[in-house]
């Protein structure tokens, strides 16, 4: 199955099929050169080396982990592209999770002033979140995603076979973003995740539809609509950054952040406690953390919350859910957030 996502800045073809079959379609285009960027471990697990070699696609490998989304790796990969003689008419196939997609998407957007690329997300998180919407970038020592562009891939290949070898923790991490979509507006997703055994293919497709809808309405984040996708991310990103991007997966941090956002909404008088408890139970069902880390000082996250990209001047713009399908941006300050955090910590002790 092929689905076309129509964005103002260009169309994206989403293939729901195996990478082997889809590459046959992609390589019909007359590119001057095609290279694949991936991780060594993926080459071994999925026999990617023979697949790429059979299609005369050169392979570039990078290490796994958030630290790959760095300025140093960006420069290193730029040099590698140059050494492979990539030009404006070349094409890059990125096989990996969100970290690799973010780094390579950013580089493709600026290398030779822009070359085309395809994304092959290999984690549930990247299938339903980072591969959709054209956002890419790298981290700096003092913040996450501070350098980046809006630049869509030409193609996205959703091959669910990659999920078969994913650790349970990575599946749970992806479920955090899917639960977020259910809270935002998609009752069909909510219905599916409440089941004992949800249909993963259906969840992925519904999640892609939900995210692309928000992106279409506010592709460059000018109206505020797309900002709602950041539900759970203000606190989530702060927790990731303050723990060195190594203790929690992105989904785990978003789970904590969304639980807090739901409690914050209750604290402000917008949501009832029953809604908060239901949100918490959804994340708990998929083995995700649902409370603030007991050993993380509240003051340690302040600098990251104050530097959140959604903020305007000194005003923090916090996304809160008032109920399912009722989500809004709430202007606030760190003092209010801190007071609520301390209340939340006490509430969860009881």
């Amino acid at each position: 199955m092929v689905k076309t996502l129509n964005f103002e800045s260009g169309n994206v073809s989403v293939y729901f099929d195996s990478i082997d079959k889809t590459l046959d379609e992609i390589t019909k285009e007359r590119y001057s050169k095609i290279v694949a960027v991936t991780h060594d471990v993926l080459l071994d697990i999925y026999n990617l080396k023979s697949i790429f070699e059979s299609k005369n696609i050169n392979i570039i490998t990078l290490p796994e982990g958030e630290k790959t989304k760095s300025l140093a790796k960006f420069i290193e990969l730029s040099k590698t592209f140059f050494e492979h003689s990539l030009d404006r008419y070349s094409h890059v196939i990125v096989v990996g999770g969100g970290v690799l997609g973010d780094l390579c998407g950013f580089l493709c957007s600026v290398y030779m002033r822009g070359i085309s690329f395809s994304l092959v997300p290999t984690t549930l998180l990247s299938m339903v979140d980072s591969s959709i919407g054209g956002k890419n970038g790298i981290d700096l020592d003092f913040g996450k995603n501070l350098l980046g562009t809006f630049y869509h891939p030409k193609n996205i290949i959703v091959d669910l076979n990659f999920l078969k070898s994913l650790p349970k923790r990575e599946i749970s991490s992806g479920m955090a973003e899917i639960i977020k979509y259910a809270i935002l507006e998609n009752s069909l997703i909510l219905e599916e995740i409440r089941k004992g055994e949800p249909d993963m293919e259906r969840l992925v497709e519904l999640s892609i539809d939900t995210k692309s809808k928000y992106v279409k309405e506010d592709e460059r984040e000018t109206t505020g609509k797309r900002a709602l996708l950041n539900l759970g991310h203000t606190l989530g990103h702060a927790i990731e950054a303050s723990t060195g991007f190594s203790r929690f997966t992105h989904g785990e941090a978003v789970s904590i952040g969304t639980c807090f956002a739901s409690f914050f909404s209750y604290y402000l008088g917008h949501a009832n406690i029953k809604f908060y408890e239901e949100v918490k139970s959804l994340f708990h069902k998929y083995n995700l953390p649902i409370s603030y880390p007991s050993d993380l000082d509240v003051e340690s996250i302040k600098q990251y919350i104050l530097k959140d990209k959604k903020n305007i001047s000194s005003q923090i713009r916090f996304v809160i859910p008032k109920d399912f399908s009722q989500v809004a941006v709430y202007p606030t300050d760190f003092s209010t957030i801190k007071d609520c955090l301390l209340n939340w910590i006490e509430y969860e002790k009881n």
Side-chain angles (χ1 to χ4, degrees):
M1 181 180 77
V2 183
K3 176 178 288 190
T4 302
L5 305 180
N6 300 300
F7 299 113
E8 190 177 324
S9 60
N11 298 336
V12 179
S13 297
V14 183
Y15 295 84
F16 292 86
D17 208 339
S18 71
I19 181 172
D20 197 5
K21 290 180 183 176
T22 312
L23 282 179
D24 288 335
E25 196 66 33
I26 290 173
T27 52
K28 286 178 183 177
E29 293 271 350
R30 291 192 173 185
Y31 297 114
S32 60
K33 195 161 194 176
I34 301 177
V35 299
V37 184
T38 188
H39 303 301
D40 281 317
V41 66
L42 295 179
L43 289 177
D44 297 336
I45 296 174
Y46 300 107
N47 196 32
L48 293 177
K49 188 173 182 181
S50 62
I51 292 173
F52 289 132
E53 286 180 347
S54 70
K55 302 177 195 307
N56 296 313
I57 296 172
N58 290 334
I59 302 168
I60 300 167
T61 59
L62 289 172
E64 293 184 280
E66 187 75 25
K67 290 181 180 178
T68 294
K69 262 180 69 170
S70 66
L71 189 56
K73 286 296 178 188
F74 174 84
I75 294 169
E76 180 185 314
L77 188 57
S78 301
K79 185 179 179 183
T80 305
F81 277 15
F82 186 77
E83 289 170 345
H84 277 75
S85 302
L86 299 195
D87 57 34
R88 279 187 193 171
Y89 307 101
S90 299
H91 189 75
V92 179
I93 297 169
V94 185
V95 186
V99 167
L100 206 58
D102 282 357
L103 169 67
C104 295
F106 181 33
L107 179 52
C108 287
S109 73
V110 295
Y111 183 82
M112 297 283 180
R113 295 193 174 88
I115 62 174
S116 66
F117 73 107
S118 294
L119 283 178
V120 187
T122 58
T123 63
L124 181 58
L125 183 66
S126 56
M127 286 179 186
V128 301
D129 183 36
S130 61
S131 66
I132 310 297
K135 273 188 180 181
N136 51 70
I138 57 174
D139 303 332
L140 298 177
D141 293 341
F142 43 89
K144 190 175 171 71
N145 296 322
L146 290 181
L147 295 182
T149 57
F150 291 97
Y151 193 71
H152 292 286
K154 187 171 184 180
N155 310 289
I156 299 169
I157 302 172
V158 179
D159 184 347
L160 295 176
N161 289 313
F162 284 113
L163 301 184
K164 292 176 182 177
S165 63
L166 268 191
K168 288 182 180 179
R169 187 182 183 191
E170 287 299 326
I171 294 291
S172 294
S173 186
M175 286 303 303
E177 291 286 356
I178 293 173
I179 294 167
K180 180 194 75 177
Y181 296 138
I183 297 169
L184 278 172
E185 70 165 54
N186 203 311
S187 58
L188 293 175
I189 295 179
L190 189 60
E191 183 182 304
E192 195 65 43
I193 61 177
R194 282 173 169 161
K195 292 179 181 178
E197 291 291 332
D199 183 332
M200 197 58 72
E201 185 173 358
R202 179 167 166 75
L203 280 179
V204 170
E205 190 176 346
L206 288 170
S207 297
I208 289 172
D209 288 343
T210 302
K211 180 161 186 182
S212 60
K213 176 189 171 186
Y214 278 80
V215 174
K216 286 175 189 176
E217 292 181 23
D218 184 19
E219 195 168 339
R220 300 227 166 212
E221 293 189 334
T222 54
T223 68
K225 180 73 174 179
R226 186 169 179 170
L228 299 179
L229 290 169
N230 285 299
L231 173 63
H233 285 62
T234 299
L235 181 62
H237 279 165
I239 289 173
E240 282 184 280
S242 60
T243 54
F245 300 107
S246 58
R247 179 172 166 185
F248 297 96
T249 66
H250 177 68
E252 288 167 349
V254 167
S255 172
I256 297 169
T258 307
C259 288
F260 172 69
S262 303
F263 187 85
F264 194 23
S265 186
Y266 161 71
Y267 178 81
L268 295 168
H270 296 298
N272 59 50
I273 200 67
K274 183 181 176 183
F275 168 73
Y276 163 69
E277 293 292 347
E278 186 168 2
V279 167
K280 198 169 64 165
S281 70
L282 288 173
F283 287 107
H284 182 67
K285 178 184 176 183
Y286 291 95
N287 302 308
L288 288 155
I290 53 175
S291 58
Y292 191 79
S294 59
D295 60 339
L296 188 61
D297 180 40
V298 172
E299 279 296 322
S300 71
I301 64 171
K302 181 178 180 178
Q303 61 175 314
Y304 302 107
I305 288 180
L306 293 178
K307 296 292 184 182
D308 188 84
K309 294 189 300 298
K310 297 183 298 299
N311 298 348
I312 297 177
S313 298
S314 60
Q315 190 177 72
I316 299 168
R317 299 171 73 236
F318 208 101
V319 183
I320 59 168
K322 300 178 180 180
D323 203 341
F324 291 106
S325 302
Q326 293 181 38
V327 181
V329 176
Y330 179 79
T332 188
D333 52 53
F334 184 74
S335 176
T336 305
I337 292 170
K338 181 181 177 180
D339 286 347
C340 183
L341 262 174
L342 295 174
N343 270 272
W344 183 42
I345 292 166
E346 283 303 311
Y347 177 86
E348 287 301 321
K349 284 179 181 177
N350 301 326

